[in-house]
Every structure is written in structure tokens, then in C-alpha cells.
Amino acid sequence: MKILALDTTSGACSVALYSNGQITERFVQAERDHTRRLLPMVDEVLAEAELTLPGLDAFAVSRGPGSFTGLRIAISCVQGLAFSVDKPVVPVSSLAALALGARRTHPEWGESPIVTMLDARMQQVYWGIYDTQSPNDSLCPEAVQNPEQVLLSLETDGLAASFYGAGPGWHYEALAAAKAKECDLDALIHARDIAELAVPLWQAAKTLSAEELEPVYLRNEVTWQKRQKIRSR
């Protein structure tokens, strides 16, 4: 099984190849020049593994949520690559990838739930809750909310007292009331974690064609409703 994963979601640019259990990755923390960096990183990873694009089984990419621009860059690149060699694409949650990476970085967190957050701007965060039993699926629906709504949701969901936080979205002062055991605000999304999460999804045939791939913003419905109201005036 050979899956090439790309990500430009959270202030970093990374490419990883999952090949029969082995992972090769290139990771650069950079806010800009993602478009210029991605393809050379793809070439480097494939060359190191002595593979070519036709030799891959699938591509994987963060489907979101996240930065509009960041998501579009990686998704557009993957669409082009997948289309060129007629390979499927595995969309992976950026929040799930963030949780898996945090768990890899912090083995001392054990199997406790991890609440991941990305800054959605406008005083809001994208967030979800992930455990080790089903790492691709949030224990509650992924959402975009303000910190006060997140606190209320955590209470409503009855999250166990022992949980950890990961991601830059945790920087809002109000979220201190969530009382996570520990927070890693510097956690970033890595393509290697997207690749690992893509493996069981690929095995379950949860793939898309390049043409079907679309980003998940979580704000789409709200934005559409606002536009409808404006147009109806």
C-alpha cells in the first residue's frame, strides 16, 4: 500500500509517503510560498522511496476545516496529481490529523481524549474530540464556534474530566475554563498523520475521484444563509 499525503492547512507545508508501513516525510513550518514548495517536496519524497506517481495506490489530503487558502492549495495540488495518473483521493479531517500528531508527540497522554482546535478567526475556533478507538471520527460533530459555545458544548457532551488540548485555537483566554489537563498550542498538522489516517479509510474504500474532492469549511451553510438573506432584501 502506497499513499502520498499533502497538507498546507495550519501554517506548515508537508508531504509524506506511506509505503507498506514506512513513512517518509518533508515538513516545513512556513506561512507562505506553499504553492512553490509543494511539488519539489513531492519529488524529494518519491525519489527517496524510489517511486513514481503511477506507482502510488492513492493520494491523501486534509479536507478541512482550516484556512480557506491553505486548504485550496493542497487540494488543488492533489487534484492535479491524482487526475494525471488516474488515482483515487482519500480526504482526511484536519482536526483528526492534529489529534493523531499530538498523540504521537505526547505519548504520556495515553488514550485520553484529545480536543483539537484551529483558529477560525472572527473570535471562533474549529474543533473536535478524538480518541484512540476511532481516530478518524470526532466524538461530537466537528464545529466552528466561539469559545463560550465550545465550553457549553463540552459540558453538554459530558466529556470525561481527563482530556488534553492540542492546536493553536486553544490560545483564546476563555478556553482556560475548559480545564484541559495540558494543552499543546504549538501542535501543527503533519502530512504523515494524514497518511496514517488515510490507510484505514482507503481499505474501507472511502475514497473520491479528483473531480469529487471538495474542502470542508464548516462555515459554508452559515455563509450561504447570510447571502440568501442579503439577496432577499
Side-chain angles (χ1 to χ4, degrees), residues 189-227:
I189 297 169
H190 285 248
R192 65 174 297 157
D193 299 308
I194 291 174
E196 286 198 33
L197 289 172
V199 172
L201 296 175
W202 183 82
Q203 292 172 329
K206 294 182 178 180
T207 63
L208 299 173
S209 67
E211 294 89 344
E212 294 173 317
L213 183 62
E214 288 287 343
V216 173
Y217 293 130
L218 294 183
R219 275 197 173 124
N220 280 358
E221 184 176 347
V222 174
T223 302
W224 173 251
Q225 289 174 348
K226 286 182 179 178
R227 287 177 179 172

Side-chain angles (χ1 to χ4, degrees), residues 21-213:
Q22 300 298 313
I23 292 182
T24 304
E25 184 184 41
R26 293 290 185 275
F27 180 91
V28 177
Q29 190 167 344
E31 294 286 347
R32 301 177 181 177
D33 294 332
H34 292 169
T35 303
R36 180 178 60 83
R37 295 173 188 271
L38 267 182
L39 290 179
M41 292 169 74
V42 168
D43 291 339
E44 288 179 17
V45 166
L46 290 176
E48 184 172 330
E50 298 182 345
L51 280 174
T52 59
L53 291 177
L56 298 171
D57 293 302
F59 293 86
V61 68
S62 169
R63 60 162 173 77
S67 156
F68 284 29
T69 302
L71 289 177
R72 280 293 182 186
I73 290 173
I75 285 177
S76 295
C77 187
V78 163
Q79 283 178 316
L81 294 173
F83 184 78
S84 71
V85 289
D86 192 24
K87 299 291 182 180
V89 180
V90 183
V92 173
S93 164
S94 55
L95 294 172
L98 188 58
L100 184 61
R103 203 176 295 281
R104 172 172 51 80
T105 304
H106 299 280
E108 71 277 10
W109 289 3
E111 297 187 357
S112 297
I114 297 178
V115 178
T116 55
M117 293 192 197
L118 292 171
D119 195 339
R121 310 302 180 187
M122 296 187 287
Q123 299 297 306
Q124 291 184 316
V125 295
Y126 301 114
W127 73 286
I129 309 172
Y130 302 86
D131 63 11
T132 58
Q133 300 302 310
S134 185
N136 271 299
D137 302 308
S138 177
L139 299 180
C140 65
E142 293 180 350
V144 54
Q145 294 179 318
N146 62 46
E148 292 74 22
Q149 290 172 321
V150 173
L151 294 175
L152 181 60
S153 296
L154 287 174
E155 292 178 6
T156 303
D157 292 328
L159 187 63
S162 179
F163 73 92
Y164 294 86
W170 275 97
H171 76 86
Y172 289 102
E173 186 175 343
L175 291 171
K179 298 181 180 179
K181 291 188 67 175
E182 183 181 348
C183 282
D184 182 354
L185 275 69
D186 297 321
L188 295 172
I189 297 169
H190 285 248
R192 65 174 297 157
D193 299 308
I194 291 174
E196 286 198 33
L197 289 172
V199 172
L201 296 175
W202 183 82
Q203 292 172 329
K206 294 182 178 180
T207 63
L208 299 173
S209 67
E211 294 89 344
E212 294 173 317
L213 183 62

